[in-house]
Amino acid sequence: MLSVSLSMLSVSLSFLTSFGSSMLYGYNLAVVNSPAAYIKNFYNRSVVSRNGTIMDEESLTLMYSLTVSIFAIGGLVGSLMVGVLVTRFGRKGTVVNTSVLVFVASVLMGFSKVCGSPEMVIVGRFITGIHSGISLSVVPMYLGEIAPKNLRGFLGLVPSIFICVGVFSAQLLGLHELLGKEEHWPLLLSLVAVPTFIQLMLLPWFPESPRYLLIEKHNVHATITALKWYRSKCNIQEEIEEMQEEQRSLSSSDTLSVWQLLLDKSVRWQVLSVVVINIGMQLSGIDAIWFYTNDIFENAGIPAGEIQYTTVGTGAIEIIGGLIGKLGRRPLVIGGFTIMGVCCAGITLSLILQVSLPFMRYISVTCVVGIIAGFCIGPAGVPFLMTAELFKQSHRPAAYIVGGSLNWISNFTVGFVFPFLQMSAGAYCYLVFAAVCCAVATYVYAFIPETKNKTFVEISRMFSKKEAVLETQAVMQNPDANRKELESPEWVSFAMIAG
């Protein structure tokens, strides 16, 4: 049985890439919450100086919603580029080369107020979204490929922790005592360049993914060198043999396109699982919490002076929740979504009752904390880790494009629609999120097997067995219509696997 330990370089790489890439996703999700009023005032003053007219409330809400949600549009664009980038530049190369996007965005947002240009803020948010869309897929892919199977969960946990750190950092720096004053909001938005600069100075010294070097580049010498970097005093021969087994299984197939992936019946359960968990991750309501935390607390009746500190407190809970990662993938995802579903329903109940029962406002805050903790326990990072685990090397880039695209489309939908949904449905809008959370938890419980401590080949075989069993049952229910398919050589092999 393959069981190896990580070197300090592997751990350092996981922290470095998560610090310079994954953390920015969390930071950009939450950073617009604190200075929302200042940004709206800036937009209003800019329009007045140009046109001599004041924006009405609906137009201002629409423009600010666009500022929030265009980050997700950029993320969608970035996620669609992942397959091409990781194939051409490799995993590490993609992270390094796309760093320039962060610096461009930082300059645009940092100088937007001086130039009196709301467009610079919006374009800057769009570009940071592109970077996050790329890194949100590439970093888990990179870390998943350098990690041995028994420690893949640990390295996969690091990006989700740093996403929570990013959210907490944005909330903390947004305090009035720090960068929460009106004159500082451009600096608050542009600080994303600092962690990326540190990453850019150090990451080029680390090796590329050994799995990428062997399976896609066929460079055995570079693979051995990289494995020696990433492993601590262990025999790497067994791990190389496991990679070669996967390479042999892919010897007749190139990297699949998205269309080819969707048409491949052998992985349709994996594809469906990626679709469900990525859409569920965003439609769980977490984006509504991150984007509009202050508005939610204001509606709950929290005094204005206490809202910013309550928000920072929820950020601390995110980090604590993200540290819970010793369990398998299934318990984390099922438990996380279940907690979120219960708390979303709890917010609706507390908002309805707080008119007659003032103490219910504190139940609202507790439910917000519960949603964030539930998200960071599992849904924050496990979906990206599972996407890496459910597919072989040839299918993985296309799978990340599918999962990432749906993730960002859902992100945009929540960010753009939630303010209007909240105005029309009031407290009942959270019941939509509760229903999504319960549905995803049920699907994972029923259809996704545990992948912890399994090789990529073993996981693929588990799903092949599930596919064979389900299709055999369908054939048995309609034997005449499917007799020819059942007698085919492919079905003979499936039946042997299922048996």
Side-chain angles (χ1 to χ4, degrees):
M1 179 180 176
L2 180 63
S3 179
V4 295
S5 59
L6 294 171
S7 68
M8 282 303 298
L9 287 171
S10 299
V11 177
S12 300
L13 175 67
S14 66
F15 277 80
L16 180 62
T17 53
S18 299
F19 173 72
S21 296
S22 302
M23 189 175 77
L24 304 190
Y25 169 68
Y27 187 88
N28 284 304
L29 279 178
V31 72
V32 292
N33 178 57
S34 176
Y38 303 142
I39 294 174
K40 289 178 181 179
N41 289 337
F42 167 64
Y43 286 174
N44 212 352
R45 288 197 304 270
S46 299
V47 171
V48 170
S49 65
R50 292 178 185 180
N51 305 326
T53 57
I54 298 176
M55 295 179 69
D56 59 78
E57 188 64 28
E58 186 175 342
S59 299
L60 191 58
T61 299
L62 181 64
M63 193 169 182
Y64 181 73
S65 295
L66 178 63
T67 304
V68 172
S69 56
I70 202 167
F71 175 70
I73 299 177
L76 173 61
V77 173
S79 67
L80 294 174
M81 301 165 61
V82 168
V84 174
L85 292 174
V86 297
T87 301
R88 180 173 181 180
F89 299 112
R91 282 52 168 160
K92 184 194 78 172
T94 299
V95 175
V96 172
N97 291 329
T98 56
S99 297
V100 65
L101 295 172
V102 179
F103 299 118
V104 173
S106 180
V107 170
L108 287 172
M109 293 186 293
F111 288 95
S112 59
K113 186 176 180 181
V114 175
C115 298
S117 174
E119 295 84 1
M120 291 175 67
V121 179
I122 295 172
V123 173
R125 289 277 297 171
F126 176 73
I127 294 175
T128 56
I130 295 176
H131 177 265
S132 291
I134 295 170
S135 62
L136 209 58
S137 294
V138 176
V139 171
M141 188 188 303
Y142 187 15
L143 299 182
E145 291 182 3
I146 72 166
K149 66 178 184 180
N150 60 310
L151 294 172
R152 202 184 304 133
F154 167 72
L155 288 191
L157 176 69
V158 176
S160 64
I161 293 175
F162 271 89
I163 290 173
C164 298
V165 171
V167 173
F168 177 68
S169 300
Q171 293 167 339
L172 183 64
L173 292 173
L175 289 175
H176 186 74
E177 291 82 355
L178 298 176
L179 298 179
K181 298 182 178 67
E182 185 168 8
E183 63 269 21
H184 292 152
W185 67 261
L187 176 61
L188 184 65
L189 297 184
S190 62
L191 279 179
V192 290
V194 175
T196 302
F197 177 77
I198 296 173
Q199 175 186 262
L200 188 61
M201 292 296 100
L202 299 176
L203 186 58
W205 300 100
F206 287 81
E208 182 56 87
S209 158
R211 192 172 294 271
Y212 168 79
L213 292 171
L214 180 64
I215 297 177
E216 296 191 32
K217 292 301 182 181
H218 310 288
N219 191 333
V220 178
H221 176 72
T223 301
I224 294 173
T225 302
L227 276 175
K228 288 180 178 178
W229 266 65
Y230 290 133
R231 299 293 179 264
S232 176
K233 296 181 181 180
C234 66
N235 182 9
I236 62 175
Q237 184 60 37
E238 189 176 354
E239 191 166 0
I240 293 177
E241 291 174 358
E242 183 264 316
M243 292 183 193
Q244 290 174 331
E245 180 186 358
E246 182 177 351
Q247 185 182 35
R248 286 191 293 270
S249 70
L250 301 173
S251 59
S252 59
S253 61
D254 297 323
T255 300
L256 271 66
S257 66
V258 171
W259 184 245
Q260 290 171 323
L261 176 73
L262 297 177
L263 293 178
D264 190 347
K265 292 184 178 180
S266 67
V267 293
R268 62 184 176 183
W269 277 106
Q270 291 97 310
V271 172
L272 180 59
S273 298
V274 166
V275 169
V276 170
I277 61 177
N278 277 280
I279 290 179
M281 174 183 174
Q282 299 298 343
L283 297 188
S284 64
I286 190 63
D287 287 321
I289 299 296
W290 277 340
F291 288 150
Y292 302 105
T293 307
N294 287 4
D295 290 342
I296 293 171
F297 286 155
E298 183 178 346
N299 291 336
I302 303 299
E306 299 177 10
I307 288 178
Q308 60 175 342
Y309 303 106
T310 308
T311 301
V312 172
T314 63
I317 295 295
E318 294 162 19
I319 300 176
I320 296 172
L323 293 173
I324 304 174
K326 295 296 185 182
L327 300 175
R329 317 311 187 237
R330 272 168 50 89
L332 290 174
V333 175
I334 294 170
F337 275 113
T338 301
I339 292 171
M340 294 178 74
V342 171
C343 290
C344 283
I347 289 181
T348 296
L349 183 63
S350 61
L351 290 178
I352 293 172
L353 296 178
Q354 72 179 23
V355 177
S356 55
L357 300 173
F359 72 88
M360 293 301 291
R361 70 179 61 177
Y362 301 106
I363 303 298
S364 296
V365 175
T366 302
C367 288
V368 169
V369 171
I371 291 172
I372 292 172
F375 181 76
C376 292
I377 285 172
V382 173
F384 302 108
L385 175 61
M386 290 182 71
T387 303
E389 291 182 326
L390 297 185
F391 296 91
K392 294 181 180 179
Q393 194 83 5
S394 60
H395 296 65
R396 199 170 294 133
Y400 268 105
I401 292 175
V402 171
S405 300
L406 293 172
N407 193 301
W408 286 103
I409 291 173
S410 303
N411 184 302
F412 169 78
T413 301
V414 174
F416 191 78
V417 172
F418 179 74
F420 302 99
L421 179 64
Q422 192 177 38
M423 285 189 291
S424 60
Y428 294 99
C429 67
Y430 298 97
L431 293 180
V432 177
F433 302 137
V436 170
C437 291
C438 293
V440 175
T442 301
Y443 176 86
V444 175
Y445 177 80
F447 297 108
I448 299 183
E450 180 57 69
T451 58
K452 184 177 182 180
N453 291 338
K454 301 288 193 304
T455 67
F456 295 117
V457 174
E458 289 170 343
I459 294 169
S460 179
R461 288 172 179 167
M462 289 165 60
F463 274 95
S464 295
K465 184 173 181 179
K466 177 185 286 289
E467 178 75 15
V469 170
L470 292 172
E471 293 198 9
T472 301
Q473 291 173 349
V475 171
M476 295 301 291
Q477 292 173 0
N478 193 5
D480 294 331
N482 297 283
R483 189 179 302 280
K484 291 183 180 180
E485 186 179 1
L486 183 61
E487 293 173 353
S488 68
E490 183 181 6
W491 264 103
V492 172
S493 63
F494 268 148
M496 291 175 64
I497 294 173

